[in-house]
């Protein structure tokens, strides 16, 4: 059933399909990224997420190239960092990301954070990269409703994805609804709260009912909501566990129980107030 990690996809607003389960590479060092990506692809993942600030794009690209898979079998996403937006060098940063990855093109390119006064200026460079076929889809990350509205007021291309901190303790239903109304797919980072979901009693009970772990239940919950999810780990056994979520389904009652866990609790920065 892990093979379904490659075939369970979501349609983006430009007609491109993205594997709904991805492999996150945050905090995986560059010299370990190639092997981690190779292992993830061998297990069945087909969506790899990285970013300039992770400092591992070269390793990620090496892992993709050395996987034995055709390029169009792997979906590669990366992000442009805040400093490049502030410096007005978005176009250069996109070309540098392409050079570091060295996989021919980027499947999904995101603005990493809504840098005040800068993300609107950066977006036309994303649109040009899309037109030039340097990237196949463009989107944003950590954008709240006010950021989306500001961008959409001037954008020619609507973002395909909004990558957000999203997990049982931070479900942001209103923001997800805004994204859906604009045809933007929500994507979850920190989907299992850095392992903290394993300590939530409701998830423990549901996990026992399915013979799964709380992390697997959480990832399954996100899939059933139509959310893209990108759990991260450098451990092959965890890669396998995170991908083994296609042989069960949560009931409507279990989905409601998980919905009731929302506490608006973040594990990372608040997009409404950041200075990095």
């Amino acid at each position: 059933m892990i093979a379904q990690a490659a075939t369970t996809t979501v349609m983006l607003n430009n007609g491109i399909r993205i594997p709904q389960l991805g492999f996150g590479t945050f905090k995986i060092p560059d010299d370990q990224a190639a092997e981690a990506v190779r292992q993830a692809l061998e297990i069945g993942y087909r969506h790899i997420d990285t970013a300039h600030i992770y400092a591992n794009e070269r390793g990620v690209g090496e892992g993709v190239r050395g996987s034995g898979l055709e390029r169009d079998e792997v979906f590669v996403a990366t992000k442009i960092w805040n400093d490049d937006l502030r410096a007005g060098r978005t176009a250069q940063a996109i070309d540098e990301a392409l050079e570091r990855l060295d996989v021919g093109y980027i499947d999904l390119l995101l603005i990493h954070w809504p840098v005040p006064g800068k993300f609107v200026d950066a977006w036309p460079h994303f649109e040009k990269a899309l037109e030039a076929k340097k990237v196949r889809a463009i989107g944003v990350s950590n954008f709240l409703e006010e950021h989306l509205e500001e961008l959409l007021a001037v954008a020619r291309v609507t973002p395909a994805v909004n990558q957000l901190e999203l997990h049982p303790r931070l479900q942001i239903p209103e923001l997800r609804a805004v994204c859906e109304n604009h045809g933007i797919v929500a994507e979850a980072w920190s989907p299992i709260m850095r392992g903290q979901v394993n300590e939530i009693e409701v998830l423990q009970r549901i996990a026992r009912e399915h013979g799964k772990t709380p992390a697997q239940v959480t990832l399954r919950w996100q899939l059933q909501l139509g959310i893209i999810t990108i759990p991260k780990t450098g451990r092959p056994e965890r890669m396998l566990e995170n991908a083994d979520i296609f042989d069960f389904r949560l009931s409507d009652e279990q989905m409601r129980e998980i919905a009731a866990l929302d506490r608006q609790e973040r594990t990372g920065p608040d997009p409404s107030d950041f200075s990095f």
Side-chain angles (χ1 to χ4, degrees):
M1 299 297 286
I2 290 175
Q4 285 189 246
T7 58
T8 301
T9 61
V10 172
M11 180 78 78
L12 300 181
N13 58 19
N14 63 352
I16 289 174
R17 302 203 74 93
I18 179 173
Q20 197 175 358
L21 175 67
F23 176 66
T25 63
F26 179 52
K27 290 192 175 180
I28 298 179
D30 199 39
D31 60 358
Q32 298 174 27
E35 179 61 13
V37 167
R38 186 197 65 76
Q39 290 173 332
L41 293 173
E42 186 174 305
I43 286 168
Y45 292 86
R46 290 297 181 268
H47 172 186
I48 309 297
D49 179 88
T50 183
H52 182 195
I53 196 64
Y54 300 173
N56 62 13
E57 287 173 312
R58 292 188 188 280
V60 166
E62 181 183 342
V64 172
R65 295 193 307 275
S67 68
L69 296 168
E70 296 295 326
R71 174 64 185 90
D72 62 4
E73 294 182 79
V74 184
F75 194 100
V76 179
T78 193
K79 313 171 195 75
I80 301 302
W81 185 241
N82 306 340
D83 292 345
D84 290 312
L85 268 64
R86 292 191 181 100
R89 59 185 313 277
T90 300
Q92 298 96 308
I94 293 171
D95 287 338
E96 289 164 3
L98 283 161
E99 185 275 329
R100 286 189 296 269
L101 285 163
D102 192 21
V103 291
Y105 56 86
I106 295 166
D107 293 281
L108 175 63
L109 184 70
L110 306 176
I111 293 179
H112 207 151
W113 288 88
V115 180
K118 298 297 181 181
F119 64 82
V120 168
D121 293 337
W123 193 246
H125 297 291
F126 276 59
E127 294 175 330
K128 289 176 183 176
L130 184 67
E131 292 170 0
K133 301 189 185 306
K134 295 178 180 180
V135 304
R136 297 176 66 227
I138 54 177
V140 296
S141 182
N142 301 299
F143 273 48
L144 302 177
E145 181 175 0
E146 58 265 33
H147 305 130
L148 290 173
E149 296 300 340
E150 184 177 352
L151 181 62
L152 290 169
V154 297
R156 291 186 296 110
V157 177
T158 298
V161 167
N162 188 9
Q163 189 181 113
L164 302 154
E165 181 178 354
L166 204 166
H167 46 68
R169 294 298 195 201
L170 183 69
Q171 300 187 25
I172 49 175
E174 297 85 0
L175 180 54
R176 283 165 36 212
V178 169
C179 289
E180 185 175 356
N181 288 340
H182 288 293
I184 301 168
V185 177
E187 179 175 11
W189 65 260
S190 194
I192 54 176
M193 298 175 61
R194 305 177 186 181
Q196 294 177 45
V197 294
N198 292 313
E199 303 167 8
I200 299 176
E201 185 176 343
V202 169
L203 297 175
Q204 291 172 347
R205 175 176 51 75
I206 295 173
R208 287 193 299 271
E209 292 169 0
H210 289 281
K212 294 291 183 178
T213 68
Q216 289 171 316
V217 166
T218 300
L219 296 172
R220 182 70 214 180
W221 165 71
Q222 291 162 348
L223 293 189
Q224 288 182 215
L225 288 175
I227 294 166
I228 303 164
T229 185
I230 49 170
K232 70 174 186 66
T233 181
R235 298 165 57 187
E237 65 272 20
R238 292 294 185 215
M239 295 180 198
L240 270 167
E241 178 185 315
N242 291 340
D244 190 16
I245 57 174
F246 297 96
D247 59 351
F248 74 107
R249 186 171 183 83
L250 301 174
S251 68
D252 291 345
E253 176 58 26
Q254 289 169 335
M255 293 291 286
R256 286 191 289 269
E257 288 183 280
I258 297 174
L261 295 174
D262 194 6
R263 300 289 185 274
Q264 301 183 48
E265 294 176 359
R266 295 187 177 275
T267 65
D270 186 339
S272 66
D273 181 22
F274 76 97
S275 58
F276 46 88

